[in-house]
Amino acid sequence: MMSNNSEATLTKSACQTEHIQLAFNLSYHRQDNAKDSFSLSINATVPAKGITAIFGHSGSGKTTLLRCIAGLEPSAKGQLQIAGDTWQDDNYFMPTHKRSLGYVFQEASLFDHLTAKGNLDFAIKRADKPFDQALYQKVLMIMGIEGLLSRFPSQLSGGERQRVAIARALLIQPQILLMDEPLAALDLARKQEILPYLEKLRDNIDIPILYVSHAMDEVARLADHTLMLEKGQLIAQGEVSQVFSRLDLPGQFQQDTGVIIKAQVLEKDEQWHLMRVAFSGGDLWLKDSGETVSQTVRVRVLARDISLALSAQQDSSILNRLQASVIEIKEDNNEALALVRLQVGEEFLLARLTRRSLAHLQITVGKQVWAQVKSVAIVY
Ligand SMILES: Nc1ncnc2c1ncn2[C@@H]1O[C@H](COP(=O)(O)OP(=O)(O)OP(=O)(O)O)[C@@H](O)[C@H]1O
């Protein structure tokens, strides 16, 4: 049935709640071997908008959690409330086919015998809401697939197939979109190509997206909120800017440890191809990559690219200096290194230093320092 009801374009109604509540307990016992068993025990609150990254190492339980939400793990005990509706509690288990969700897998699971349009039509028929022409046009535009509709999956690149698969999931008009490492099967170039579509999706579709990933760069670019899993347990949840600056989480000494800060473009320096962005901790100059003035950008600052000084050194090539206070220091067990957590305005930075520098500069908690950030360290 056709309808032009543009008000139904995947927006939440006023009575729907701002959060998703989820709590699951599930155990897999393999061959009665305790070493070979896995337990998931998660209790979390997720905002009912934007992208929440479910982040963790391989085997930490990310896919299992998505499967619980989708109702694909009937032995999982727990509670699930989405947009004010109870999908599961102690006495009730809504079957998968009644859960209003879109699911996107690592490999786009399109029907090979149908064109892209045929695949989308299939979703439209499956939706329990009337066809919405405005939504259809919006989804085609967001995913940039208007020109691909007559092609069969074999005539699409991996990235294009995945864009069609995401559009198909949205045309079911779900209350939530679940994405399980949707870029994992793509090479780096295809991944870079599809990321802007996912950003557009996040900014234009008003349903929550739970996005499984173990790639820090994807999380930094896409997610506002994160659930961090380790061995089936939730070890951290919250705003990505807060969670990724914590020193008490595993893996903090890895090469790509860093923080994510949202900033606003203030001005451009055409001569040197730079732009100045501002956040609560000050201004940063970074490579101009085509953003417009007043646009909000995310910058990722890696711990290895920050050095500390006790004064604002003017004779260094470093473009960015921020006044900071040291709030926490963590030393790695066997290494010569330490991580320093710094407060800059309302944000946090991490700096990786040698313990020798720390001692030499007498850096201790509470000390006021200058954080020197290489402008090249800011990735977007
Ligand atoms: N049906 C099953 N029966 C038994 N064990 C299972 C089953 N499904 C998953 N597991 C185990 O549960 C654990 C968590 O798996 P899961 O796929 O959720 O992890 P993940 O974090 O998504 O990993 P990856 O990033 O590698 O996809 C793993 O140890 C896995 O072997």
Side-chain angles (χ1 to χ4, degrees):
M1 193 175 67
M2 304 275 277
S3 127
N4 270 329
N5 176 12
S6 61
E7 293 310 305
T9 52
L10 292 176
T11 52
K12 291 188 293 298
S13 66
C15 65
Q16 288 173 338
T17 56
E18 290 303 309
H19 290 97
I20 296 165
Q21 300 289 346
L22 53 93
F24 289 110
N25 286 299
L26 168 73
S27 288
Y28 293 128
H29 294 287
R30 277 161 284 172
Q31 302 153 359
D32 290 332
N33 177 352
K35 249 179 72 195
D36 225 14
S37 65
F38 173 81
S39 294
L40 180 82
S41 177
I42 303 281
N43 190 341
T45 304
V46 174
K49 61 176 184 185
I51 296 186
T52 294
I54 301 174
F55 184 73
H57 296 300
S58 188
S60 58
K62 305 181 297 294
T63 298
T64 305
L65 176 59
L66 277 202
R67 288 176 54 80
C68 288
I69 294 167
L72 294 167
E73 296 286 353
S75 63
K77 301 273 171 266
Q79 271 94 38
L80 177 60
Q81 261 140 25
I82 296 203
D85 296 334
T86 298
W87 286 14
Q88 187 170 335
D89 63 18
D90 293 343
N91 307 310
Y92 175 66
F93 186 91
M94 185 189 278
T96 298
H97 68 274
K98 294 215 166 137
R99 298 188 183 203
S100 173
L101 56 89
Y103 207 132
V104 178
F105 301 91
Q106 276 186 21
E107 302 265 1
S109 53
L110 298 176
F111 296 117
D112 287 334
H113 64 290
L114 296 176
T115 60
K117 181 166 184 313
N119 273 279
L120 300 184
D121 288 345
F122 181 83
I124 291 165
K125 279 193 218 113
R126 253 207 61 200
D128 54 12
K129 295 186 191 137
F131 176 70
D132 180 339
Q133 181 68 38
L135 172 67
Y136 186 70
Q137 292 304 339
K138 182 174 174 176
V139 167
L140 294 192
M141 187 271 294
I142 291 173
M143 299 318 298
I145 56 171
E146 297 98 325
L148 307 177
L149 294 181
S150 60
R151 296 205 213 157
F152 285 92
S154 59
Q155 299 167 321
L156 298 170
S157 72
E160 289 167 342
R161 272 200 296 277
Q162 202 54 302
R163 277 152 53 199
V164 174
I166 295 168
R168 187 177 64 171
L170 292 170
L171 290 173
I172 295 169
Q173 302 191 47
Q175 282 176 298
I176 186 168
L177 183 61
L178 307 179
M179 303 180 91
D180 194 351
E181 307 219 36
L183 309 187
L186 305 177
D187 62 29
L188 195 61
R190 295 291 153 278
K191 202 168 144 171
Q192 292 307 324
E193 198 178 283
I194 199 171
L195 276 166
Y197 294 100
L198 296 180
E199 285 173 326
K200 238 195 271 174
L201 176 67
R202 175 197 62 208
D203 297 340
N204 290 286
I205 292 288
D206 196 16
I207 56 168
I209 299 171
L210 295 187
Y211 187 100
V212 164
S213 179
H214 60 255
M216 199 40 222
D217 58 332
E218 277 171 49
V219 176
R221 187 146 168 190
L222 297 173
D224 295 309
H225 197 87
T226 185
L227 301 182
M228 198 182 269
L229 267 54
E230 172 100 341
K231 297 185 183 137
Q233 308 285 317
L234 185 65
I235 54 166
Q237 64 175 314
E239 296 288 315
V240 285
S241 55
Q242 295 279 328
V243 172
F244 288 107
S245 71
R246 280 174 51 175
L247 291 183
D248 59 335
L249 299 173
Q252 285 301 61
F253 278 84
Q254 284 169 8
Q255 279 301 307
D256 64 351
T257 289
V259 299
I260 299 136
I261 293 171
K262 277 193 197 170
Q264 200 182 23
V265 179
L266 284 192
E267 63 169 309
K268 305 260 199 161
D269 180 334
E270 308 283 348
Q271 184 187 357
W272 301 106
H273 308 287
L274 294 171
M275 61 181 182
R276 183 162 67 95
V277 302
F279 72 109
S280 67
D283 294 356
L284 294 168
W285 282 100
L286 57 146
K287 200 172 125 244
D288 183 352
S289 35
E291 288 77 6
T292 49
V293 171
S294 87
Q295 188 181 332
T296 300
V297 291
R298 287 164 183 243
V299 294
R300 185 159 172 233
V301 187
L302 298 179
R304 64 166 188 250
D305 288 323
I306 297 196
S307 60
L308 299 184
L310 299 180
S311 59
Q313 295 172 355
Q314 301 299 331
D315 56 352
S316 115
S317 67
I318 300 266
L319 212 47
N320 295 311
R321 288 176 201 86
L322 299 166
Q323 242 178 329
S325 48
V326 175
I327 52 169
E328 203 180 340
I329 298 172
K330 186 180 176 200
E331 295 182 344
D332 197 20
N333 284 345
N334 302 311
E335 302 281 335
L337 297 175
L339 273 181
V340 181
R341 188 173 197 236
L342 303 158
Q343 177 134 26
V344 281
E346 289 159 20
E347 302 285 346
F348 299 97
L349 292 176
L350 294 181
R352 177 184 290 146
L353 305 182
T354 61
R355 292 193 202 183
R356 188 170 72 174
S357 302
L358 215 59
H360 181 63
L361 296 175
Q362 297 181 324
I363 289 174
T364 50
V365 170
K367 190 142 185 149
Q368 299 299 307
V369 293
W370 288 88
Q372 308 190 129
V373 188
K374 288 187 204 168
S375 63
V376 288
I378 299 161
V379 286
Y380 32 77

